[in-house]
Structure formats: structure tokens, C-alpha cells
Amino acid sequence: MMRRDGEAISLEEIKNASVALLTRMQMAGLSEVKVAGDQAHYWKVFPSEIFSPSEPSPVKGGVSDDLGDLRKEMEQRDSAYSLGSFWHALNHLSGILSVLAAKDLAGDFDETLDQMDSDVFEVSPSTGTDRGVS
């Protein structure tokens, strides 16, 4: 749905971009990402405060909590904690994605990327899948 004062966000485009990104990470040799110690918890702003005109209060998030809640929501589709509560699932997913972004920014994936095959891959914008290109 398009807001009067903004841009519409295509869920299909976000889905394709997500699939393409995660596929590229897998192609780079990442099958899992270890998160431990000081990376297991992070700061974030609660979703209801991200557009606040006043300064929001950061809250502590945790990867274990994020994964646990997402798993529970995917398993219990008919409960109050199902994926039907979009904000809750998206909030936990965004926490996990933020941790992955921080780890990449810190260089945690550099060795894996250096070992990645030198083939060039093209991502199909319509499907989010990678096709090998010589």
C-alpha cells in the first residue's frame, strides 16, 4: 500500500534481495555464522520508537532470544506467537541481520570471501537466484 507522502515497499523485491544476499553468502562458503561472547548481545531501538521525534531509548537484544522466538513462531503457526504477529518476527529477524552486518563490517567474513571462487555471479532481479556467468 502506498503512503501519500512516501514510497511503496515491494515485499517481492525485499524477498528477492534477501534470497540473493543469503545465497551469495552461502556461495562464499558461509553455512553458519558463529556468534559468541560480546557479539551475542547488541543494542537496538524498539520498533515503536524508530520514528519518534524525540531521542529513543536503546534496548538490549540477543541472538539466542531472536533465534528462539523465530523458531517458536515458525513452529506454532496457530498460537499468539505465530508469524501472524509480523512486527515481532520482523523485529527478531532484523536483530539477527544487524548482527550479520556488524560481523561483516568488522571483517569476520573476510577470510571466507578471500577464498571464494573467482567466478562472477549475476543475481536475477526477478527471482533472487544466482546464475553463474563466465
Side-chain angles (χ1 to χ4, degrees), residues 35 37-45 58-66 91-92 95-96 99:
V35 179
D38 62 348
Q39 296 176 333
H41 293 91
Y42 56 87
W43 291 105
K44 66 180 180 178
V45 176
V59 294
K60 197 84 161 177
V63 174
S64 293
D65 181 51
D66 290 332
N91 187 46
H92 285 297
I96 292 168
V99 168

Side-chain angles (χ1 to χ4, degrees), residues 1 10 13-14 37 44 56 58 65 77 95 100 104 108 123 125 129:
M1 181 162 112
S10 163
E13 184 177 3
I14 294 169
K44 66 180 180 178
D65 181 51
R77 294 183 188 268
L100 294 179
D104 185 43
D108 289 9
V123 178
T129 58

Side-chain angles (χ1 to χ4, degrees), residues 51-120:
F51 302 111
S52 174
S54 58
E55 187 173 334
S57 301
V59 294
K60 197 84 161 177
V63 174
S64 293
D65 181 51
D66 290 332
L67 285 172
D69 276 14
L70 279 175
R71 287 173 180 150
K72 185 185 336 176
E73 290 184 19
M74 290 185 335
E75 291 169 3
Q76 301 175 358
R77 294 183 188 268
D78 295 329
S79 77
Y81 294 101
S82 74
L83 289 174
S85 177
F86 298 133
W87 78 266
H88 191 255
L90 289 167
N91 187 46
H92 285 297
L93 183 59
S94 71
I96 292 168
L97 294 175
S98 292
V99 168
L100 294 179
K103 290 179 72 61
D104 185 43
L105 190 61
D108 289 9
F109 303 151
D110 288 353
E111 185 176 315
T112 302
L113 294 173
D114 289 344
Q115 295 174 3
M116 185 174 166
D117 196 10
S118 62
D119 289 343
V120 176

